[in-house]
Amino acid sequence: MAARNKKGLTSRMGWNTESSIIVNGVDLCQDILGKMSLAEMAWLEITGTKATQQQSNVLNALLVSLVEHGMTPMALVTRLTYLCAPESVQAAVAAGLCGVGTTYAGTSEGAAKIVQTANSGPDRDRPVADVARDIVREHLSNKRTIPGIGHGIHRPIDPRVPILFRIAAENGLSGRHVELINAISVAASEATGKNLPVNVTGAIGAIASELGLDWQMCRGISVIARCVGLVGHLAEEIRNPIANEVYQRSDEEVTENAIALMVEPS
Amino acid sequence: MAARNKKGLTSRMGWNTESSIIVNGVDLCQDILGKMSLAEMAWLEITGTKATQQQSNVLNALLVSLVEHGMTPMALVTRLTYLCAPESVQAAVAAGLCGVGTTYAGTSEGAAKIVQTANSGPDRDRPVADVARDIVREHLSNKRTIPGIGHGIHRPIDPRVPILFRIAAENGLSGRHVELINAISVAASEATGKNLPVNVTGAIGAIASELGLDWQMCRGISVIARCVGLVGHLAEEIRNPIANEVYQRSDEEVTENAIALMVEPS
Amino acid sequence: MAARNKKGLTSRMGWNTESSIIVNGVDLCQDILGKMSLAEMAWLEITGTKATQQQSNVLNALLVSLVEHGMTPMALVTRLTYLCAPESVQAAVAAGLCGVGTTYAGTSEGAAKIVQTANSGPDRDRPVADVARDIVREHLSNKRTIPGIGHGIHRPIDPRVPILFRIAAENGLSGRHVELINAISVAASEATGKNLPVNVTGAIGAIASELGLDWQMCRGISVIARCVGLVGHLAEEIRNPIANEVYQRSDEEVTENAIALMVEPS
Amino acid sequence: MAARNKKGLTSRMGWNTESSIIVNGVDLCQDILGKMSLAEMAWLEITGTKATQQQSNVLNALLVSLVEHGMTPMALVTRLTYLCAPESVQAAVAAGLCGVGTTYAGTSEGAAKIVQTANSGPDRDRPVADVARDIVREHLSNKRTIPGIGHGIHRPIDPRVPILFRIAAENGLSGRHVELINAISVAASEATGKNLPVNVTGAIGAIASELGLDWQMCRGISVIARCVGLVGHLAEEIRNPIANEVYQRSDEEVTENAIALMVEPS
């Protein structure tokens, strides 16, 4: 075979000199520690640039909104893994994060992809209401769910949505992406005759797009936020363990049902 | 067998009512979104209480200090896993987090355990210098490394340490735990005749103890911080991929060496 | 909200009575230990039934063929994670398995899906050559790669393919799925004028389909096989460590390049 | 700083030439495919050598015995993660494997370490009964559990133990390690006045030691076996899902209890 073209390894993320630590070109000790918030550090890590106050406010809100969702499957996973391997706190959190997939976390990604695609191509100059109607029509004709639109589990409006949109607007980060996701909600409601508001993942996808983040980074934002939440669940599991009870009940019920099936005539 | 005593499942982490989302007793929409920083949210998750401004400042500094350490093995793991499974951003980060173990992250835990143990038992009322000498003597006689003490890889003093101690002091969170880790450094230097300053993990272990966090939560803090860093490495890997080059070079060198061994007389 | 319909938890996988352990209806001590091979146990686990000798032979061959591929990214991930967390052997393997994704392992799944879809729908009764031509035409017109077809990295024919097909045939498990993947190879070569043989993932996808396994289980087979391989790499890493060298070289090169960029005029 | 001594990267695990694939010095196509069982392949991977028939029989029995334990926390973790991220079968299994830690899997490791340490040091030439008494005395005086000894959850004797010991003996792999674990059981029963038989993890630790495997590899064997079991649970979860029910019940109960606490006078 032909020789492979080798390529140098380069990264701007972080390196050390004798007396300093540089992160994406910024001096950790002089310009970061005691000066940047964790959300600003996340911005520096993800984009390679220093956040403005507005970007910092909005990214912080997106992250905070995604931290905690109660006793989710991911929280159960982290707690059950800690039960099995209490010596590996990191593996318990990692196991939980493996579940930040398409079922619960993927829809903000999908919403971001839709608005970013529409707003970077030829549709960019058309009225948002027209673009929205086309997007809705295409999804309905292909029987595909529109990500970011529609009822959450328990209530007509997700109370987080208006607050997130307000924070974005107050920080000058509400533009055509937010307009488009709202227009899609209107068009979808008209086309179906149902009440289909923007849900929290739609808001997050649109606002992340206003921040200029690539749609793939929506998953990254969910992962950071959920990591905070899973460490929280671990801290509570250490104080007030429930994983063993969840396991014992499941095992007992499965065993009882299996034995019942064995002795019954089949 | 005897019937197991069942136990109810309880958690304060999060739940929903029709119109609100409650996190550890705090209303997400009214009192968290737009008002709490991500570090404050982490505090609420881990301790179940709202952070004071001082606790917020100090936890934020600890978290930020641990986010980025350059091209660590964990960063390589996340990048290599993304190369293999680009559809699972969460699994790439989870794989990287599996490495937040004893080699690089465990020492802040160890330092926290030492100062928390010494400061909660009968040693609590003895002079810190005496306690420190006992701790050093015991470790040296058992040929065990003292966690949190001693040279980092490249320089005589980790430049992060004085800044972290200053932030803790400015926020009224520098007490007997910080005194003890500094006294251990002095005692260790005297006992060995070497320069053995407090390193960054020692500072973090002591300051986390000042925050009242259980030593086990030091690992949780590392996991949150490193999660931010690994998402950052993923974002850079998407823009400027290097994982394939790392893999190809390793595979080629291993293959060349293996073939050379085969054809040589053994 | 309306009350949810509760559902009983049932599973046939395994349960215990006072004196016996039952796995999918089979007594572990009487009928499994000392009598079943690990591949037969895998069959029992995946299908819930006891394997015939033919099924056992063929599943064993598929699994064995996927165990080892040299210094893959996944092997590097497991070794690097062990370097960071030697106390968590399981987490090092888990991290490596996170990479059994679409880049290297997904294509057998894709090949299985194609042949299973074609052979279960109305195309089932048409000549395989015709079905194959349609499949190739559709993929080429949509500019999509045909999974399981085409050159492997280093050689014109993957030497594993004819052996796997022979083992399947000798065990009476070579039927319309194998015929179809071969016909797709012929049709693809004709349509493109290139030599496009069935590759090893195509063979595995087709043979797994002959075994009656759902296409989603191809990923499961890869995971089992690769798990064996990653434990092997860990055993070698303990005897002959290379992860630290891979890490140090990457970190040094990245640091040198970063410092060079800093001092150059930008 | 001084220049680091670079080290070449070497591995015997696997590599390719134009026409062949070599695994630990053995030709995959000529000498492995269709000829080796999966357990023999695992032996080749872990030890770098070809298994004898006896080694193959015994390693196969150890692996098979550990595959399935019913609805364990690890099985729940894999199922819950699949619910969240059905597109990442590998991440669901990886999450489950993160739980192969000290709580359920670590004891065979501990038993292996005890017998390997005793049988490789100066105790090697003393009567096993004497060595066993010393080991028991030391554990009891330090109030430490003796790994591998004592009642399993539900029955006086684990029915797998005599079968595993018989398979080891029939294959000439029952020597001083097996004698010692049995002697420890006798000594522990005498010292405590309780019935403390060898349990399944004690048997596995001793037999793995007879195979010459390092005690650290006991965890690796558990990981391989459990990986097969978790893929089985995934296959059943796809056919008969229960993860969502486990999650919904937990979430509902936690929410009900939390709301009850809120409205009650505190």
Side-chain angles (χ1 to χ4, degrees):
Chain A
M1 62 190 134
R4 187 174 62 79
N5 278 325
K6 290 210 179 178
K7 184 191 146 184
L9 304 181
T10 59
S11 168
R12 295 184 71 247
M13 299 306 291
W15 69 91
N16 304 316
T17 65
E18 282 295 305
S19 58
S20 62
I21 299 162
I22 308 297
V23 177
N24 271 305
V26 184
D27 188 296
L28 178 70
C29 294
Q30 293 192 8
D31 299 319
I32 295 178
L33 277 182
K35 294 175 182 161
M36 274 194 194
S37 72
L38 186 57
E40 286 163 341
M41 188 68 181
W43 181 273
L44 178 64
E45 286 282 307
I46 293 171
T47 69
T49 64
K50 289 174 86 164
T52 64
Q53 188 60 53
Q54 288 73 30
Q55 289 163 337
S56 162
N57 292 343
V58 172
L59 179 60
N60 187 76
L62 294 189
L63 286 164
V64 166
S65 73
L66 288 165
V67 165
E68 182 55 59
H69 288 78
M71 201 55 68
T72 58
M74 287 154 266
L76 287 170
V77 162
T78 287
R79 288 167 180 260
L80 288 160
T81 304
Y82 178 77
L83 171 67
C84 297
E87 73 282 4
S88 296
V89 160
Q90 75 277 10
V93 179
L97 289 179
C98 283
V100 184
T102 51
T103 308
Y104 299 104
T107 45
S108 68
E109 223 171 297
K113 196 174 180 180
I114 284 178
V115 298
Q116 291 183 17
T117 306
N119 288 337
S120 62
D123 280 343
R124 178 174 38 182
D125 299 319
R126 296 173 57 208
V128 288
D130 296 354
V131 177
R133 268 190 294 271
D134 289 355
I135 290 170
V136 169
R137 195 176 304 123
E138 189 223 326
H139 277 78
L140 293 180
S141 69
N142 290 308
K143 296 188 181 166
R144 285 164 53 206
T145 317
I146 309 171
I149 302 295
H151 291 249
I153 307 173
H154 293 306
R155 36 203 138 51
I157 282 179
D158 190 311
R160 294 168 288 188
V161 172
I163 300 183
L164 289 173
F165 279 149
R166 178 173 55 73
I167 293 171
E170 286 171 359
N171 285 283
L173 283 157
S174 184
R176 192 171 162 100
H177 295 302
V178 170
E179 280 173 44
L180 181 54
I181 200 80
N182 278 315
I184 292 172
S185 160
V186 171
S189 302
E190 283 174 5
T192 62
K194 297 181 196 162
N195 175 33
L196 293 174
V198 178
N199 62 36
V200 73
T201 60
I204 288 168
I207 296 171
S209 303
E210 298 288 348
L211 283 168
L213 298 175
D214 192 87
W215 61 267
Q216 287 181 285
M217 269 303 111
C218 286
R219 186 76 62 100
I221 289 173
S222 298
V223 168
I224 291 173
R226 203 45 70 93
C227 182
V228 175
L230 292 175
V231 171
H233 276 269
L234 253 183
E236 195 190 54
E237 178 72 17
I238 292 173
R239 293 191 299 265
N240 172 33
I242 64 167
N244 192 50
E245 180 70 25
V246 171
Y247 153 52
Q248 295 288 348
R249 289 187 195 175
S250 303
D251 185 43
E252 285 164 8
E253 182 173 336
V254 159
T255 301
E256 276 168 35
N257 286 338
I259 291 172
L261 278 172
M262 277 182 81
V263 295
E264 278 174 15
S266 62
Chain B
M1 64 190 132
R4 189 173 61 79
N5 278 325
K6 290 209 179 179
K7 185 192 146 184
L9 304 181
T10 59
S11 168
R12 296 182 71 246
M13 299 306 291
W15 69 90
N16 305 316
T17 64
E18 281 296 305
S19 59
S20 62
I21 298 162
I22 308 296
V23 177
N24 271 305
V26 184
D27 187 297
L28 179 70
C29 293
Q30 292 191 9
D31 298 320
I32 295 177
L33 278 182
K35 292 172 184 164
M36 273 192 196
S37 72
L38 185 57
E40 286 163 342
M41 189 68 180
W43 181 272
L44 178 64
E45 287 281 308
I46 292 172
T47 69
T49 64
K50 289 174 86 163
T52 63
Q53 187 60 51
Q54 289 73 28
Q55 290 164 336
S56 162
N57 293 344
V58 172
L59 179 60
N60 187 77
L62 294 190
L63 287 164
V64 166
S65 74
L66 289 166
V67 164
E68 183 55 61
H69 288 78
M71 201 54 69
T72 58
M74 289 154 264
L76 287 170
V77 162
T78 288
R79 289 169 179 259
L80 287 160
T81 303
Y82 178 75
L83 171 67
C84 297
E87 72 282 4
S88 297
V89 160
Q90 75 277 12
V93 179
L97 289 180
C98 283
V100 184
T102 51
T103 308
Y104 299 104
T107 45
S108 69
E109 223 171 300
K113 195 174 180 180
I114 284 177
V115 298
Q116 291 183 17
T117 305
N119 288 337
S120 62
D123 279 343
R124 177 175 38 180
D125 299 319
R126 296 173 59 209
V128 289
D130 295 355
V131 177
R133 268 190 295 270
D134 289 355
I135 290 169
V136 168
R137 194 176 307 123
E138 190 223 324
H139 278 78
L140 293 181
S141 69
N142 290 307
K143 295 188 181 167
R144 285 163 54 206
T145 316
I146 309 171
I149 303 295
H151 292 248
I153 308 173
H154 293 307
R155 36 203 140 52
I157 283 179
D158 190 310
R160 293 168 289 188
V161 172
I163 301 181
L164 289 173
F165 279 150
R166 178 174 54 73
I167 293 170
E170 286 171 358
N171 286 282
L173 284 157
S174 184
R176 193 172 161 97
H177 295 302
V178 170
E179 279 172 46
L180 181 54
I181 200 80
N182 279 315
I184 292 172
S185 159
V186 171
S189 302
E190 282 174 5
T192 62
K194 296 180 197 163
N195 176 35
L196 293 174
V198 178
N199 62 36
V200 73
T201 60
I204 288 168
I207 296 170
S209 303
E210 297 289 347
L211 284 167
L213 299 175
D214 192 87
W215 61 267
Q216 288 182 285
M217 269 303 112
C218 286
R219 186 76 61 99
I221 290 175
S222 298
V223 168
I224 291 173
R226 204 45 71 90
C227 183
V228 175
L230 293 176
V231 171
H233 276 270
L234 253 183
E236 194 190 57
E237 178 72 18
I238 293 173
R239 294 192 298 266
N240 172 33
I242 65 167
N244 191 49
E245 180 70 25
V246 171
Y247 154 52
Q248 295 288 349
R249 288 187 195 174
S250 303
D251 184 44
E252 286 164 9
E253 183 173 336
V254 160
T255 301
E256 275 168 36
N257 286 338
I259 291 172
L261 278 171
M262 277 182 82
V263 295
E264 278 174 16
S266 60
Chain C
M1 65 191 129
R4 187 173 62 79
N5 279 324
K6 288 211 180 178
K7 185 192 146 185
L9 305 181
T10 59
S11 168
R12 296 184 70 247
M13 298 307 291
W15 69 91
N16 303 316
T17 65
E18 282 296 305
S19 59
S20 62
I21 298 162
I22 308 297
V23 177
N24 271 305
V26 183
D27 188 297
L28 178 70
C29 294
Q30 291 192 10
D31 299 320
I32 295 178
L33 278 183
K35 292 173 183 165
M36 275 194 194
S37 72
L38 185 57
E40 286 162 342
M41 189 68 181
W43 180 273
L44 178 64
E45 287 281 308
I46 293 171
T47 69
T49 64
K50 288 174 85 164
T52 63
Q53 187 60 53
Q54 288 73 29
Q55 289 164 336
S56 161
N57 292 343
V58 171
L59 179 60
N60 187 76
L62 294 189
L63 286 164
V64 166
S65 73
L66 288 165
V67 165
E68 183 55 60
H69 288 78
M71 201 55 68
T72 58
M74 288 154 265
L76 286 170
V77 162
T78 287
R79 289 167 178 260
L80 287 160
T81 304
Y82 178 77
L83 171 67
C84 298
E87 72 283 5
S88 297
V89 160
Q90 75 277 10
V93 178
L97 289 179
C98 283
V100 184
T102 51
T103 308
Y104 299 104
T107 44
S108 69
E109 223 170 297
K113 195 173 181 180
I114 284 177
V115 299
Q116 290 182 18
T117 306
N119 288 338
S120 63
D123 280 343
R124 177 173 39 181
D125 299 318
R126 295 172 58 208
V128 288
D130 294 356
V131 177
R133 267 190 295 270
D134 288 355
I135 290 169
V136 169
R137 195 177 304 123
E138 189 223 326
H139 278 78
L140 293 181
S141 69
N142 290 308
K143 295 189 181 166
R144 286 165 51 208
T145 316
I146 309 171
I149 303 295
H151 291 250
I153 307 173
H154 292 307
R155 42 207 133 49
I157 283 180
D158 189 311
R160 293 168 289 188
V161 171
I163 300 182
L164 289 173
F165 279 150
R166 177 174 55 72
I167 293 171
E170 286 171 0
N171 286 282
L173 284 158
S174 183
R176 191 171 163 101
H177 295 303
V178 170
E179 279 172 45
L180 181 55
I181 200 80
N182 278 315
I184 291 172
S185 159
V186 171
S189 302
E190 283 174 5
T192 62
K194 296 180 196 163
N195 176 34
L196 293 174
V198 177
N199 62 35
V200 73
T201 60
I204 288 168
I207 296 171
S209 303
E210 297 289 348
L211 283 167
L213 299 175
D214 191 87
W215 61 268
Q216 288 181 285
M217 270 302 112
C218 286
R219 186 76 62 100
I221 290 174
S222 298
V223 168
I224 292 173
R226 204 44 71 93
C227 182
V228 175
L230 293 175
V231 171
H233 276 270
L234 254 184
E236 195 191 55
E237 178 72 17
I238 292 173
R239 293 191 299 265
N240 173 34
I242 64 167
N244 192 49
E245 180 70 25
V246 171
Y247 154 51
Q248 295 289 350
R249 289 187 195 174
S250 303
D251 185 43
E252 286 164 8
E253 183 173 336
V254 160
T255 300
E256 276 168 36
N257 286 337
I259 291 172
L261 278 170
M262 278 181 80
V263 296
E264 278 174 16
S266 62
Chain D
M1 64 190 130
R4 188 173 61 79
N5 279 324
K6 290 211 180 178
K7 184 191 146 185
L9 305 180
T10 59
S11 168
R12 296 183 70 245
M13 298 307 291
W15 68 91
N16 304 316
T17 64
E18 281 296 306
S19 58
S20 62
I21 297 162
I22 308 297
V23 177
N24 271 304
V26 184
D27 188 297
L28 178 70
C29 294
Q30 291 191 9
D31 298 320
I32 295 177
L33 278 182
K35 291 173 185 163
M36 274 193 196
S37 72
L38 185 57
E40 286 163 341
M41 189 67 180
W43 181 273
L44 178 64
E45 287 281 308
I46 292 171
T47 70
T49 64
K50 289 174 86 164
T52 63
Q53 188 60 52
Q54 288 74 27
Q55 290 164 335
S56 162
N57 293 343
V58 172
L59 180 60
N60 187 77
L62 294 188
L63 287 164
V64 166
S65 74
L66 288 166
V67 165
E68 182 56 58
H69 288 77
M71 201 56 68
T72 58
M74 288 154 265
L76 287 170
V77 162
T78 288
R79 289 169 179 258
L80 287 160
T81 304
Y82 178 76
L83 171 67
C84 298
E87 72 284 4
S88 296
V89 161
Q90 75 278 9
V93 179
L97 289 179
C98 282
V100 184
T102 50
T103 308
Y104 299 105
T107 45
S108 69
E109 224 169 298
K113 195 173 181 180
I114 284 178
V115 299
Q116 291 182 18
T117 305
N119 289 336
S120 63
D123 279 343
R124 176 175 39 182
D125 300 318
R126 295 173 59 210
V128 288
D130 295 354
V131 177
R133 268 189 295 270
D134 289 354
I135 291 170
V136 169
R137 194 176 306 124
E138 190 223 326
H139 278 78
L140 293 181
S141 69
N142 291 307
K143 294 189 182 168
R144 286 163 54 205
T145 317
I146 310 169
I149 303 296
H151 291 249
I153 307 172
H154 292 307
R155 37 204 137 50
I157 283 180
D158 190 310
R160 292 168 290 188
V161 171
I163 300 182
L164 289 173
F165 278 150
R166 178 173 54 72
I167 293 170
E170 285 172 359
N171 286 282
L173 284 158
S174 183
R176 192 171 162 100
H177 295 302
V178 170
E179 278 172 47
L180 181 54
I181 200 80
N182 278 316
I184 291 171
S185 160
V186 171
S189 302
E190 282 173 4
T192 62
K194 297 181 195 162
N195 177 33
L196 293 173
V198 177
N199 62 35
V200 73
T201 60
I204 288 168
I207 296 171
S209 303
E210 297 289 347
L211 284 167
L213 298 175
D214 191 87
W215 62 267
Q216 288 181 285
M217 270 302 112
C218 286
R219 187 75 62 100
I221 290 174
S222 298
V223 168
I224 292 173
R226 204 44 72 92
C227 182
V228 175
L230 292 175
V231 171
H233 276 270
L234 253 184
E236 195 191 55
E237 178 72 18
I238 293 173
R239 292 192 299 265
N240 172 34
I242 65 167
N244 191 49
E245 180 70 25
V246 171
Y247 153 52
Q248 295 289 349
R249 288 187 195 175
S250 303
D251 184 44
E252 286 164 9
E253 182 173 336
V254 160
T255 301
E256 277 168 34
N257 286 338
I259 291 172
L261 278 172
M262 278 181 81
V263 295
E264 278 174 15
S266 61

